[in-house]
Amino acid sequence: MVGGSAALGNEDLLQHILSRLPALSFASAACVNKSWNKVCNQILSKPKLASALSLSPSLHVAVSEVLDKVLSEPIRPHFAIASVGMQSKLAATHQLITARLGSRTPVITNAVTGIIGLDAHLDEICEVKWTLLEDNLLNDFDHCYGIVLIVGYVPGLKVETIPLLRSKEEPEFSMVDKFLMDIRHYSASISGCSSPNGIILFGDQNIDIKPILAEMDYGLPEETVIVGDATSCFLFKTGENSQNYNGALYFFDAVALVFSRDSDNSNVPEIQFDITMSTGVLPFGPELKAVSVKEHNADCSLLTARMEGYDGLLHGEEILEDIKEHIDDKYPYLYIGVIHQRGSLQFGSRSYMSLYEVLGAEDQFFIVNGVGIKPGDSFIFYHSDSDTASSSSIDVLDGLRLLNASSCCGTIGRNVTNANKEVFGGLIFSCFSRSVPLSEDDDGDDDEDDNDVYFESYPFCRNFPETPLAGIFCYGEIGRGRGLTRLINQEEEDCSISGRCLLHHYSTVYLVMSYTIPPLLH
C-alpha cells in the first residue's frame, strides 16, 4: 500500500510539473517514455483552444508575441488560423507561423479589416477595425497592423485544408465539383462518412462566393456546420494531406478548413459545433420580380423589376428615394434578397436566398453588386437596421446564457444526460459596418461595474469569460448549421418569400465549440 501510494503521489507530482510546460517542451516530454506519454495524454484529454492578439507594428514582434502566448501551455496544434491587418506582410506572417507550428499542422493566414481577440499583454478582449477608403486604401496607415492567432487541439477529429481550385488554363469557372468531391473523399477516408462535422471557409475577395455556397449547401448535409469570411485574402498550408496544389497551375478561389470525425479515435470527448447569429437587416416592401437583367462592369448587374399584378416597370431611382425616406438609419445599406432554385431529378430541388448589395439606380434600372440574377427571379428589398442588430445581439446573449446554464447543470436542450457538456472555444465573423451597443440594462444583470460596451464579442464573453475566443471583421459573413437560437433563420422568416441564406450582411456569426464527455470517460 505504501509503495502504491508513493507511486500515485509521484505521478500526481509529474502531472503537476508537465502541465506547466510550454507546448514545445511538453511535446518533448511526451516522447521520454511510455509513463510520461501516458501522463501527457491525461493532461490533454480534452479539446482545447488557445488564442492571442498583438497590435505591435513590428511583424516579427507581433508574431512572436501571439505564438509565445498560445504555446505557453501544453497543446498539440491540430489547426491554426492567423488573421492580420491589411498592411501586414501576409506571406512573411504565414511563413513565420508555419515554421513555428511544424509541417503537420494545417494553417490558414488571412488579411482582414479588423480583428477580435485576447491581448497577449493585457489579457483583455480587444476589437480593432481599420477603416477602408476608396480603392481598398486604409486610412491611418501607421496604425493598420495587428494579428490574432487561434490554435486548436481537437482530439477525435482530423483537420485539413482543402482549396477551391480554378485552372489558369481555363480561368472562367471555379472547380466546384472537384472541391466538394475532395471534401467528401477526405471526410470518408477519416470517418467512413462523406459528411464532415464542420467547415471554416475563406473565399477570395475577387470572386463571387454566392454560387459556390449554393453548391456547398446543396451538396453537403444539414449537419455540416459552415462558417467563414466571403471576402478574404489568404494563404494556406496543408497538414498531413499528401496532395500537392501547384500555385503555378491554379488560382485558389477559396480554402476550407475541414473537420471530420476520426473513426480510429472514438473513446474521446465528442466535439460539437453550433452557430448563432445576430442579424441586422430587415425586409422592406412587397415581393418584386426581375424583368430584364444584364451584366455591368463584369461584377455588377443592371436589372429592371415589376410588382406582382402590375405590367409597368418600376422606376429604380424613384423607388430608392422612397425607400431611403422611410428608413430611420441615416446611412443604411440596401440589399435585394433574390430567391434562386438549385436541384436535380435525383436529389430534388431546394430554394436559397442570396443578398445582393444595391449600389444605386439609373432611370428604371437597379444597380446591384454581383451576377447570377435571372429574369423572373423573385426578390424583396432589405435594409440594414441598427435597432434590429442591437435587439438580435441581446437574443444571442440570452441564447448563450441558456447554453451556459445547460452546461452547468448537465442538460443539453430538453434532455437530461449524465454527460458533461462544456464550451471550450468560440469564433466570430462580424460585418465590418456594424456598431452595436449593449448596456447594463440589456444584459439582464444588475452588476454595478457594468458599463456600456460596443463589442461584438460581448454576448460570448459575458457568458464564457474564461473561454478562448478569436474573430474577424469582414464584408460577407458565412453561416449555416445547427443554431443555438432561431436567429439563424430570422432573415428567411421575416421575408414573404422562402429560401435559405448562407451569406449574410450586417450580421455577426458566432461559432460555439463544445464537447461532451462520454460516460465511459467519467
Side-chain angles (χ1 to χ4, degrees), residues 265-314:
N265 193 9
S266 57
N267 196 26
V268 293
E270 180 180 350
I271 295 175
Q272 181 173 319
F273 298 152
D274 289 289
I275 67 172
T276 185
M277 187 180 74
S278 169
T279 187
V281 296
L282 282 177
F284 189 93
E287 179 181 337
L288 306 175
K289 276 192 179 296
V291 177
S292 66
V293 184
K294 59 182 179 179
E295 291 189 10
H296 177 67
N297 294 335
D299 56 356
C300 295
S301 298
L302 295 175
L303 65 93
T304 59
R306 64 177 176 82
M307 192 184 308
E308 286 289 345
Y310 294 87
D311 295 330
L313 295 178
L314 299 175

Side-chain angles (χ1 to χ4, degrees), residues 161-168 173-175 178-179 182 201-207 209 212 230 232-238 243-256:
T161 53
I162 298 177
L164 169 61
L165 306 177
R166 180 161 49 93
S167 173
K168 291 186 176 181
F173 301 102
S174 300
M175 302 166 63
K178 173 176 169 52
F179 180 54
D182 288 345
L201 182 70
F202 295 89
D204 185 88
Q205 60 186 347
N206 296 313
I207 70 155
I209 199 75
I212 297 165
S232 182
C233 178
F234 60 83
L235 295 171
F236 71 94
K237 185 186 79 65
T238 59
Q243 186 168 356
N244 183 29
Y245 302 104
N246 192 338
L249 300 177
Y250 300 106
F251 297 108
F252 302 117
D253 284 353
V255 63

Side-chain angles (χ1 to χ4, degrees), residues 76-103:
R76 293 167 179 158
H78 286 169
F79 72 91
I81 301 173
S83 301
V84 300
M86 289 290 190
Q87 296 300 332
S88 299
K89 297 178 180 179
L90 187 64
T93 304
H94 186 68
Q95 184 177 6
L96 289 171
I97 291 173
T98 55
R100 185 83 174 268
L101 293 180
S103 61

Side-chain angles (χ1 to χ4, degrees), residues 398-477:
D398 293 338
L400 293 177
R401 181 181 290 123
L402 291 175
L403 175 67
N404 191 19
S406 68
S407 301
C408 294
C409 65
T411 61
I412 303 175
R414 297 182 179 179
N415 300 320
V416 179
T417 176
N418 292 326
N420 190 14
K421 184 173 183 178
E422 183 172 337
V423 173
F424 69 95
L427 288 175
I428 294 177
F429 299 89
S430 182
C431 178
F432 177 87
S433 304
R434 279 169 58 105
S435 179
V436 180
L438 289 174
S439 69
E440 58 181 295
D441 295 329
D442 296 327
D443 64 17
D445 291 336
D446 298 324
D447 296 352
E448 295 181 358
D449 58 350
D450 275 351
N451 296 311
D452 286 348
V453 293
Y454 294 83
F455 296 154
E456 298 294 345
S457 57
Y458 182 74
F460 187 91
C461 294
R462 183 67 178 175
N463 287 288
F464 308 102
E466 304 299 323
T467 303
L469 172 73
I472 62 173
F473 292 100
C474 49
Y475 284 100
E477 312 83 56

Side-chain angles (χ1 to χ4, degrees), residues 49-67:
L49 256 65
S51 67
L53 175 148
S54 173
L55 298 177
S56 173
S58 167
L59 172 64
H60 287 270
V61 171
V63 173
S64 294
E65 286 180 349
V66 295
L67 281 169

Side-chain angles (χ1 to χ4, degrees), residues 171-192:
E172 293 82 9
F173 301 102
S174 300
M175 302 166 63
V176 182
D177 290 341
K178 173 176 169 52
F179 180 54
L180 291 174
M181 187 181 301
D182 288 345
I183 291 174
R184 294 191 197 100
H185 283 178
Y186 172 74
S187 183
S189 69
I190 298 300
S191 65

